[in-house]
Structures are given as structure tokens and as C-alpha cells.
Amino acid sequence: MPFLSAFKAKYIGDRAFYKKVLAVAVPMMIQNGITTFVGLLDNIMVGQTTTEQMNGVAIVNQLLFVFNLCIFGGLSGAGIFTAQYFGSRDQEGIRRTFRFKLWLALAITGLATAALLLAEEPLIRLYLSNENDDPLRIAQTLAHGQDYLRIMLPGLPAFAAVQVYTSTLRECGETRLPMKAGIAAVLVNLLFNWLLIFGRLGFPALGVKGAAIATVISRYAEAAIVLVWTHRHADRCPWIRGMYRTLKVPAETARRIFVKGVPLLINEALWSVGQSLLVQCYSVRGLDVMNGLNIANTISNLFMITFLSLGSSVSIIVGHLLGASQPEEARDTDRKLIVFSILCSVGTGALLFLVCPLFPRLYNTTDFARETAVKLMRISACFMPVHAFINAAYFTLRSGGKTWITFLFDSAFVWVVSIPIALILSRLTDLSAPCMMALVGLTDLIKVGAGYWMVKRGMWIYNIVE
């Protein structure tokens, strides 16, 4: 039929297309999948101790989530240039963006460490604001959270270093090494979790402290693998040659990256803080709701890996085509990538909806927390195709350097629309956390319309390194 043939030609790629896409996306899916799966096991292990320990870890991880996304957003600005420099085969350009990433990662890590040290207690208490909760449980959750945070802080420099290297490797087409290093790191993390949380093979049983120590050890193991491999394989990474002869970044290069990168850094910072504030709005319903949120987010993240990895693939593949001055091929590739991401999310969302009742049974928690987790996961499953499109549209706009537009599209929307609605619902109504999350999620349909319009117009098709 003519209609089906036209639809397939426009939205569905051939075998070579998907082979190219999966060559980039699958290593990221595997790495992120194993990382998230081990995070799930880590979460379950801590969940076998006490609810208070589990909540303390969940709250601190929500705070560290802000740091992680600030690093991601800050490096992404330079990464736009890296991908396009790679497409134009400019090795010196890649070196300049790498050095910019180093300085920025150092600054973000220093600021985050200082902020978390100085304000650890008030930040954790933001999630312990329900007056109906037992004061003893609140005090225990706070203490466990502080213990966990203080041990996790020394791991931040290793995390930042890994992100500088692996982001550059991916933007230059090397996705397997980050995958292998990530697998090694999560296996180290899993081993030391088992040894230190429960006190196996003569090791002390440290609970949440053991979980934090295991995470820090795994991060330095990952950093060692990535750095050593990159410097020993200059034939595959020619940009690493002479990288540290100087740490200077030409003023013009820094200015250009700064102009494009600052909106991404601000976006990721505001978006992550906004997401943390949304969790805080839901958490006012009590510690058991916080527990259910922690379970739901951990499991849902495992099922979101496919469309999140495909979104990152959009920025890499489309960025290479834009850097190589192939705008029409970039448009066609992007359209097919977006459709592929949505179709994959329909499948993973349906799977999550069906199997989600099985996971909360693995946790040592209350029936109410388990029921809340199932409801939240099913809501997340229903919205997964929506979030897949939004994610792909975001990376499409970013690939062409339209960072101020992505700022308005992403974090500005959260603060102007999502957060006010969540605050009103949590403070002025008695709605449950699942109902609040569903109502807030419906507002994302506005972003779908805006994203579709911007992507279709092609305002993102721009070579920023030419």
C-alpha cells in the first residue's frame, strides 16, 4: 500500500540504520542497565536492614542526584562541540573541549562538596517533614543519612573524572570501554556491598556505611580503568596525545563553549533540584510514602534505560552528521531515532506495568509502602512513551547547540508548571502521592506539543564548529 510504504520510508530505517544506531546505543544500554540493576540490588540489600536506613540512603541519593546532573549538564555543553569536532576530524578541537570539561568538573565538585558538608542536616530534614511520623524514626533516618553522605563525598572527584573521560570517549564513537569499565565498577560495588553491609567473610557489618564505602571503592576502580585504558590507546584516541602539555583553554573556545554550555548546566541544575523538590512534595505524606517512592524510582529507572540511551544516541549520531555538514541526513536520522525510541518505550512500559507488583516483595518494608510503590510504577509505565519523546526531542535540540531553547523546554517548564502544581496539591489537598504524580505527569503533554513543533521546524539543524 502506498501509505504504508511512505510511512516506512519516512519513519522506519533499514537494517544498516539500526545496526549503526544499536552500535552506539547498546553499549550504553548494557552499562546503564548493569549499573541500574546493581543499584537495585544495592537498594534491596540496604532494604533488608531497616526502613530508616533505606530512607536515609534514598534521601542522600536524591541530593547526590543534583550533583550528578550538574556534572552531566556542565559537560554536555562542551560535548556538543566534541561530537561535531569529531565529525569534522578536528583533534585539537577535541583537546580544547576536554580541558574545558576538566576545569568545569573540578569547580562543580568543589562547590558541591562544600555545600553538602555545610548544609547536610537541613537538606536531609527537607524530606522528613511529616508531623505524623514517629520522632524516633525521623532521628534514626537523619543519622543514617548523615553517615552515608559523609562517606560518599570522597567519591565525588572520581565520579567527575570518569564523566569527563567517558563523555569524550562516547562523543568520539568509543562506547565499549565506558561499558566495560562500568560493568567492572558495578561488580566491585556489588561484592563490597555484600561484604560490608552484612559483614561477610570476616568483614564488619556496617549497614549504610558499608554501602557508601562500597560505592566509593567502585568509583575509584572505574576511574582507574578508564584513565589507564585511554592513555594507553592513543592510536584509537588520538586526541589524548599531548592532552596535559597545557591545561589552558583558548579564550575564544572557552567563550563559545560557555555560551552554549551555561544554559545546559543551569538547565540540569534547576531540573535536578526541581525533581528533588517534586519528591519532597510527595514525601510530605510520610516515611512510608518516601519508602515507596524510593522503590518505585529504583525499579522504574531500570525500565527507562532503553529510551534514555537512545536519547543520548541522538545527540551523538545527529551531532556527527551536523558536524560533517549533512543536514538532510541529520533530519532523516533524527526522525527515525525518535520513532524508534517511542516504540521501544511502549514495550518496556507495558512490561513494567505487568511485572511491577513482584518487586516490592523483595523489600523489608510495610504493606502500605509496597502498595504505594506499585501504584507509582504503573503511573510511570503509562507515561513512558511521553517521556521517551520528550527525551529524544531534548537531545535533538541540544545536538545543534540550541541550549537556551532546551533550558526553556526542560527546567523552566518544571519550575513554572510542574512544581507549583505539586506544591498546591501537596499542601492544600489530601490527595495521595500516586494521584499527585499522575496529575503532575499530565502537564508533560504540553511539552510533547512544544517539542514536536520545534523538532519539525528544524530549528536545531546547525553546524556550530564550522
Side-chain angles (χ1 to χ4, degrees), residues 80 84 259-260 263-264 393-409 454 458-464:
I80 299 171
Q84 293 204 14
V259 169
K260 295 294 183 184
L264 285 177
Y394 169 84
F395 279 103
T396 297
L397 296 170
R398 209 188 75 178
S399 66
K402 299 301 181 182
T403 51
W404 281 109
I405 294 176
T406 59
F407 167 76
L408 296 173
F409 179 70
M454 289 186 285
M459 60 173 60
W460 50 275
I461 301 177
Y462 184 63
N463 186 329
I464 61 175

Coordinates of all heavy atoms in Angstrom, one line a residue, residues 80 84 259-260 263-264 393-409 454 458-464:
I80 N 28.7 19.0 23.0 CA 28.1 19.3 21.7 C 29.2 19.6 20.7 O 29.2 19.2 19.6 CB 27.2 20.5 21.9 CG1 26.0 20.2 22.8 CG2 26.6 21.0 20.5 CD1 25.2 21.5 23.2
Q84 N 30.8 17.4 17.3 CA 30.9 18.0 16.0 C 32.3 18.1 15.6 O 32.6 18.0 14.4 CB 30.2 19.3 16.0 CG 28.6 19.2 16.1 CD 27.9 20.4 15.6 OE1 28.4 21.2 14.8 NE2 26.6 20.5 15.9
V259 N 29.0 30.0 26.2 CA 27.7 30.5 25.7 C 26.7 29.3 25.5 O 25.5 29.4 25.8 CB 27.9 31.3 24.4 CG1 26.6 31.6 23.8 CG2 28.6 32.6 24.8
K260 N 27.2 28.2 24.9 CA 26.3 27.1 24.6 C 26.1 26.2 25.9 O 25.1 25.6 26.1 CB 26.9 26.2 23.5 CG 27.0 26.9 22.2 CD 25.6 27.2 21.6 CE 25.7 27.8 20.2 NZ 24.3 28.2 19.7
P263 N 23.7 27.4 29.6 CA 22.2 27.0 29.6 C 22.0 25.5 30.0 O 21.1 25.2 30.7 CB 21.7 27.3 28.2 CG 22.6 28.3 27.7 CD 24.0 28.0 28.3
L264 N 22.9 24.6 29.5 CA 22.8 23.2 29.8 C 23.1 23.0 31.3 O 22.4 22.2 32.0 CB 23.7 22.4 29.0 CG 23.2 22.2 27.5 CD1 24.3 21.4 26.7 CD2 21.9 21.4 27.5
A393 N 13.4 14.6 21.9 CA 13.3 15.9 21.4 C 14.4 16.8 22.1 O 15.0 17.7 21.5 CB 11.9 16.5 21.7
Y394 N 14.6 16.6 23.4 CA 15.6 17.4 24.1 C 17.0 17.2 23.5 O 17.7 18.2 23.3 CB 15.6 17.0 25.6 CG 16.7 17.5 26.4 CD1 16.7 18.8 27.0 CD2 17.9 16.7 26.6 CE1 17.7 19.3 27.7 CE2 18.9 17.2 27.4 CZ 18.9 18.5 27.9 OH 19.9 18.9 28.7
F395 N 17.4 16.0 23.3 CA 18.7 15.7 22.7 C 18.8 16.1 21.3 O 19.9 16.5 20.8 CB 19.0 14.2 22.9 CG 19.5 13.9 24.2 CD1 18.7 13.2 25.1 CD2 20.8 14.2 24.6 CE1 19.1 12.9 26.4 CE2 21.3 13.9 25.9 CZ 20.4 13.2 26.8
T396 N 17.7 16.2 20.6 CA 17.7 16.7 19.2 C 18.0 18.2 19.2 O 18.9 18.6 18.5 CB 16.3 16.5 18.5 OG1 16.1 15.1 18.4 CG2 16.3 17.1 17.1
L397 N 17.3 18.9 20.0 CA 17.6 20.4 20.1 C 19.0 20.6 20.6 O 19.7 21.6 20.1 CB 16.6 21.0 21.0 CG 15.1 20.9 20.6 CD1 14.2 21.4 21.7 CD2 14.9 21.8 19.4
R398 N 19.5 19.8 21.5 CA 20.8 20.0 22.0 C 21.9 19.7 21.0 O 23.0 20.3 21.0 CB 21.0 19.1 23.3 CG 22.0 19.7 24.3 CD 22.3 18.7 25.4 NE 23.1 17.6 24.9 CZ 23.6 16.6 25.7 NH1 23.1 16.5 26.9 NH2 24.4 15.7 25.2
S399 N 21.7 18.7 20.1 CA 22.7 18.3 19.2 C 23.2 19.5 18.3 O 24.3 19.5 17.8 CB 22.2 17.2 18.3 OG 21.1 17.6 17.5
G400 N 22.2 20.4 18.0 CA 22.6 21.6 17.2 C 22.9 22.8 18.0 O 23.0 23.9 17.4
G401 N 23.1 22.7 19.3 CA 23.6 23.8 20.1 C 22.5 24.7 20.6 O 22.7 25.8 21.1
K402 N 21.2 24.3 20.4 CA 20.1 25.2 20.8 C 19.8 25.0 22.3 O 18.8 24.6 22.8 CB 18.8 24.9 20.0 CG 19.0 25.0 18.5 CD 19.4 26.5 18.2 CE 19.5 26.7 16.7 NZ 19.9 28.1 16.3
T403 N 20.8 25.5 23.1 CA 20.8 25.2 24.5 C 19.8 26.1 25.3 O 19.3 25.6 26.3 CB 22.2 25.3 25.1 OG1 22.8 26.5 24.7 CG2 23.1 24.2 24.6
W404 N 19.7 27.3 24.9 CA 18.7 28.1 25.6 C 17.3 27.6 25.4 O 16.4 27.7 26.3 CB 18.8 29.6 25.1 CG 20.0 30.3 25.8 CD1 21.1 30.7 25.2 CD2 20.1 30.6 27.2 NE1 22.0 31.3 26.1 CE2 21.4 31.2 27.3 CE3 19.3 30.5 28.3 CZ2 21.8 31.7 28.6 CZ3 19.7 30.9 29.5 CH2 21.0 31.5 29.6
I405 N 17.0 27.1 24.2 CA 15.7 26.5 23.9 C 15.5 25.3 24.8 O 14.4 25.1 25.4 CB 15.5 26.2 22.4 CG1 15.6 27.5 21.6 CG2 14.2 25.4 22.2 CD1 15.5 27.2 20.1
T406 N 16.5 24.4 24.9 CA 16.4 23.3 25.8 C 16.2 23.7 27.2 O 15.5 23.0 28.0 CB 17.6 22.3 25.7 OG1 18.8 23.1 26.1 CG2 17.8 21.8 24.3
F407 N 16.8 24.8 27.6 CA 16.6 25.3 29.0 C 15.1 25.6 29.2 O 14.5 25.2 30.3 CB 17.4 26.5 29.2 CG 17.1 27.3 30.5 CD1 17.5 26.8 31.7 CD2 16.4 28.5 30.4 CE1 17.1 27.5 32.9 CE2 16.1 29.2 31.6 CZ 16.4 28.7 32.8
L408 N 14.5 26.3 28.3 CA 13.1 26.7 28.4 C 12.2 25.4 28.4 O 11.2 25.3 29.1 CB 12.7 27.7 27.4 CG 13.4 29.1 27.4 CD1 13.0 29.9 26.2 CD2 13.0 29.8 28.7
F409 N 12.6 24.5 27.5 CA 11.8 23.3 27.2 C 11.8 22.4 28.4 O 10.9 21.7 28.7 CB 12.4 22.6 26.0 CG 11.7 21.3 25.6 CD1 10.5 21.3 25.1 CD2 12.4 20.1 25.8 CE1 9.8 20.1 24.7 CE2 11.8 18.9 25.4 CZ 10.5 18.9 24.9
M454 N 9.0 22.2 17.6 CA 10.4 22.7 17.4 C 11.2 21.7 16.6 O 12.0 22.1 15.8 CB 11.0 22.9 18.8 CG 10.5 24.1 19.6 SD 11.4 24.5 21.1 CE 10.7 23.2 22.2
G458 N 12.8 22.2 12.5 CA 14.2 22.0 12.1 C 15.1 23.1 12.6 O 16.2 23.4 12.1
M459 N 14.7 23.8 13.7 CA 15.5 24.9 14.2 C 16.8 24.5 14.8 O 17.7 25.3 15.1 CB 14.7 25.7 15.2 CG 14.2 24.9 16.4 SD 13.4 25.9 17.7 CE 12.1 26.6 16.8
W460 N 16.9 23.2 15.0 CA 18.1 22.6 15.7 C 19.2 22.3 14.6 O 20.3 21.9 15.0 CB 17.7 21.3 16.4 CG 16.9 20.4 15.6 CD1 15.6 20.4 15.4 CD2 17.4 19.3 14.7 NE1 15.2 19.4 14.5 CE2 16.3 18.7 14.1 CE3 18.7 18.8 14.5 CZ2 16.4 17.7 13.2 CZ3 18.8 17.7 13.6 CH2 17.7 17.2 13.0
I461 N 18.9 22.3 13.4 CA 19.9 21.9 12.3 C 20.9 23.0 12.1 O 20.6 24.0 11.4 CB 19.1 21.6 11.0 CG1 18.1 20.5 11.2 CG2 20.1 21.2 9.9 CD1 17.3 20.1 10.0
Y462 N 22.0 22.9 12.8 CA 23.0 23.9 12.8 C 24.4 23.4 13.1 O 24.6 22.6 14.0 CB 22.7 25.0 13.9 CG 23.6 26.2 13.9 CD1 23.7 27.0 12.8 CD2 24.3 26.5 15.0 CE1 24.5 28.1 12.9 CE2 25.2 27.6 15.1 CZ 25.3 28.4 14.0 OH 26.1 29.5 14.1
N463 N 25.4 23.7 12.3 CA 26.8 23.3 12.5 C 27.5 24.4 13.3 O 27.7 25.5 12.8 CB 27.5 23.1 11.1 CG 28.9 22.5 11.2 OD1 29.6 22.8 12.2 ND2 29.3 21.8 10.2
I464 N 27.8 24.1 14.5 CA 28.4 25.1 15.4 C 29.9 25.2 15.4 O 30.5 26.0 16.0 CB 27.9 24.9 16.9 CG1 28.4 23.5 17.4 CG2 26.4 25.0 17.0 CD1 28.1 23.3 18.8

